Amino acid sequence: MSEKDILINNDDAFRIYQNDSNDLCIAVLTGGVGVYEAKIKLLEEDIIKHHAAGDSYYIKLAKDIRMHPSKYANRYIP
């Protein structure tokens, strides 16, 4: 799926974008020996938390995804 609209690009730490299905997603570089990009669909609760806390919420979420990618495996998108 392509990135239709990039909404936030945080100095290559993460990107928030809307895909072709109009889902909001976060893309984060992660990995140890091999680096890969984890693309995660944002849930409604993520969007609500962002509205309450601002971009600092996405910074915290990106760090958590980077450190614990398997925790988000059920939300991965192609």
Side-chain angles (χ1 to χ4, degrees):
M1 234 171 239
S2 68
E3 298 176 11
K4 189 166 84 171
D5 293 312
I6 296 178
L7 306 175
I8 299 173
N9 189 356
N10 184 277
D11 296 327
D12 296 328
F14 67 90
R15 287 186 320 281
I16 304 294
Y17 66 94
Q18 189 173 30
N19 66 15
D20 293 336
S21 299
N22 293 322
D23 297 318
L24 285 179
C25 307
I26 185 170
V28 180
L29 286 179
T30 189
V33 175
V35 177
Y36 65 97
E37 186 174 62
K39 293 182 177 182
I40 309 294
K41 181 178 175 180
L42 293 175
L43 303 176
E44 185 67 29
E45 68 185 65
D46 295 317
I47 296 163
I48 291 168
K49 289 178 182 178
H50 173 253
H51 286 309
D55 288 350
S56 65
Y57 172 74
Y58 287 147
I59 293 168
K60 180 181 171 186
L61 178 61
K63 183 177 179 180
D64 196 49
I65 293 167
R66 189 174 299 110
M67 300 302 291
H68 310 285
S70 62
K71 181 174 158 182
Y72 298 88
N74 63 331
R75 293 169 55 182
Y76 277 30
I77 55 172

